[in-house]
Amino acid sequence: MKQVKTLVEFFSGNAIDNVLGAFSFLPENVIFLTDGSVQEDVTQDTLRALKQRLPGVHTDFYAARDSELSSLRAALEELYRDHPECVFDFTGGSEPMLLAAYGFAFQHDAPMLHINMQNHFAININRCEDLVAAFAFPQLRLEDHLNMNGAFLAGYGYEEPEEGWSERIRRFCALVMEDQHRWKAQCLFLQMAAARAGSLQVESERELFTSDGNAVPGDGDYLKRLEQIGMLEQVEAEGERVRFAFPNSTIRHYLCDSGIWLELYTYLVLKESGRFSDVRVSVRLGWGDGHVQGGTAYNEIDVIACAGITPLFVSCKSGLPTAGSMNEILVYARKFGGQRAKAAMVTSAEVSTGFVGLRKRAADLGTVIVDESDIRDGLAQGMLLYLTDSGL
């Protein structure tokens, strides 16, 4: 593809409008025409996103008064005099700015193009045939979305599964789905036994007791099944004692959290769809005045997946979601992912006919609920992909 030396953008209140062209064509210089009405935080977010993804790019601003065509014309003349080799990208900006710029660029026979965000293609307006022919819609990563929205990646609650562990994680999730109550009981036993052992190798009494005296028995058959699917090793469950080993510290963390399986299931469903360029699990996000080195507030999102310029934020719940929890994930999706972000709920509970209003409420909010039956019927992936592609 022909190298773009200088790309002209018309500054918008949405950071994605300001950076998409640069992410697509990798110019040496990005020049913004601005009317001065955009808030300072949008400018900072735009520059941070550009610098993080294109560290060598040079940026500059030319200011005009948006309501005065003469001011816009003067700024365009100065810009074009300084950068006669520029390409005009008509993807963002106000109507007066775009009208003035089109008239100016047409008069000077300057290269012009437009990126259609909805359908992921570029349009040649004038003299950009080669650029449009070689155009590939950029795939944004989580960090791009965070940079554009004044946030930062603060870490992870759990490590994502290694590539070679996908099949055993999938079998583990299927085992849990057979009997969720039985899993929760054994998870409590694993938690207590692992805490007392303090290592990957565990030797324990067959029956443990909580601080208030409740018995927590180890289920030898269930531990053996965990061994069969590769989630435990060296299981011996005879008499009054049990022995077993966790394959590694990551699996130990998984097996000592009764709800993490649902996050892992959702992670695998999205990753294996092949539709997302970036999928993360148990993501800790921060925002505030110190969002580069440290933050003032944090939130953890169960699963985040990015397709093109659309991030999908998923909240995983063991119980039935509420209107409040649906509102919450939608708020965080918009906060960290921008206006194009989507939000979904995945629950291991059953949204029965008695709760039909819950699905309607989710649809009204622009979210979707994937429940136990949807998971069992293999519908989860399709529902989440449909949401991602929808215009909700």
Side-chain angles (χ1 to χ4, degrees):
M1 182 174 70
K2 178 182 176 182
Q3 176 66 42
V4 176
K5 183 175 182 181
T6 301
L7 190 68
V8 176
E9 299 287 347
F10 306 103
F11 206 80
S12 166
N14 295 323
I16 184 64
D17 296 340
N18 302 326
V19 303
L20 188 62
F23 288 177
S24 302
F25 300 111
L26 310 179
E28 296 178 18
N29 309 300
V30 179
I31 308 301
F32 292 105
L33 182 63
T34 176
D35 62 8
S37 65
V38 179
Q39 296 181 353
E40 179 63 24
D41 60 345
V42 179
T43 302
Q44 293 176 354
D45 294 343
T46 295
L47 292 177
R48 182 169 55 253
L50 281 173
K51 296 295 184 180
Q52 289 295 318
R53 183 151 175 154
L54 305 174
V57 72
H58 175 265
T59 59
D60 202 356
F61 290 80
Y62 287 76
R65 291 184 294 277
D66 190 42
S67 59
E68 299 181 16
L69 291 179
S70 59
S71 178
L72 287 167
R73 174 99 187 170
L76 286 163
E77 288 176 347
E78 181 184 4
L79 184 158
Y80 196 67
R81 182 171 60 251
D82 295 341
H83 304 280
E85 79 293 343
C86 68
V87 175
F88 288 88
D89 175 17
F90 288 81
T91 301
S94 66
E95 289 184 0
M97 189 181 292
L98 294 174
L99 288 170
Y102 176 77
F104 179 89
F106 181 82
Q107 182 182 13
H108 290 80
D109 193 31
M112 294 180 279
L113 56 82
H114 168 74
I115 300 174
N116 185 305
M117 293 192 187
Q118 186 65 33
N119 298 308
H120 296 188
F121 63 84
I123 299 171
N124 170 38
I125 301 176
N126 186 52
R127 294 179 50 210
C128 287
E129 294 87 351
D130 291 344
L131 290 175
V132 168
F135 174 78
F137 197 81
Q139 298 293 317
L140 271 59
R141 292 176 59 80
L142 173 60
E143 286 82 357
D144 295 317
H145 291 289
L146 298 181
N147 287 327
M148 288 188 295
N149 291 282
F152 65 97
L153 178 62
Y156 300 91
Y158 291 90
E159 295 181 33
E160 69 179 51
E162 297 178 8
E163 288 292 335
W165 283 81
S166 296
E167 181 57 34
R168 67 184 74 187
I169 294 293
R170 190 162 33 248
R171 292 197 299 259
F172 168 56
C173 294
L175 175 61
V176 174
M177 283 292 289
E178 288 181 16
D179 189 335
Q180 293 188 56
H181 294 293
R182 189 179 181 187
W183 156 245
K184 289 179 180 178
Q186 275 319 281
C187 181
L188 179 56
F189 176 81
L190 290 168
Q191 289 174 6
M192 297 176 66
R196 296 184 183 192
S199 68
L200 299 181
Q201 296 285 336
V202 178
E203 182 174 352
S204 170
E205 294 87 355
R206 189 67 172 267
E207 187 173 65
L208 300 175
F209 294 88
T210 64
S211 58
D212 54 5
N214 292 322
V216 181
D219 186 332
D221 290 339
Y222 203 90
L223 297 177
K224 281 288 187 181
R225 292 196 63 184
L226 288 171
E227 181 183 34
Q228 290 168 6
I229 62 177
M231 296 297 285
L232 286 179
E233 298 175 346
Q234 306 166 28
V235 174
E236 298 179 15
E238 298 179 0
E240 300 301 319
R241 301 190 67 80
V242 295
R243 296 181 181 85
F244 57 87
F246 297 102
N248 56 49
S249 59
T250 299
I251 299 302
R252 174 182 171 174
H253 290 157
Y254 292 166
L255 291 181
C256 291
D257 184 329
S258 64
I260 189 63
W261 73 270
L262 191 59
E263 296 179 33
L264 295 172
Y265 168 83
T266 305
Y267 168 85
L268 288 179
V269 159
L270 295 175
K271 191 174 183 65
E272 293 174 354
S273 72
R275 287 288 313 283
F276 298 91
S277 58
D278 190 15
V279 186
R280 316 278 183 100
V281 63
S282 192
V283 188
R284 193 167 185 244
L285 306 179
W287 71 99
D289 293 338
H291 56 258
V292 176
Q293 282 81 26
T296 58
Y298 300 90
N299 189 260
E300 190 165 305
I301 308 297
D302 295 328
V303 181
I304 304 176
C306 303
I309 60 173
T310 302
L312 173 65
F313 288 68
V314 185
S315 176
C316 300
K317 300 287 186 185
S318 296
L320 281 174
T322 64
S325 61
M326 288 187 285
N327 272 313
E328 182 181 50
I329 189 59
L330 189 60
V331 167
Y332 285 124
R334 294 289 187 266
K335 180 176 183 63
F336 297 121
Q339 295 182 359
R340 294 179 177 273
K342 302 295 177 68
M345 306 286 300
V346 177
T347 174
S348 58
E350 181 72 21
V351 181
S352 65
T353 54
F355 291 93
V356 67
L358 202 57
R359 290 193 188 274
K360 177 63 166 60
R361 175 63 174 166
D364 291 342
L365 290 172
T367 70
V368 67
I369 298 177
V370 177
D371 75 351
E372 182 183 12
S373 291
D374 299 324
I375 294 172
R376 292 184 184 281
D377 295 340
L379 301 177
Q381 185 180 89
M383 294 172 70
L384 294 173
L385 291 179
Y386 180 80
L387 173 67
T388 304
D389 293 337
S390 72
L392 291 175

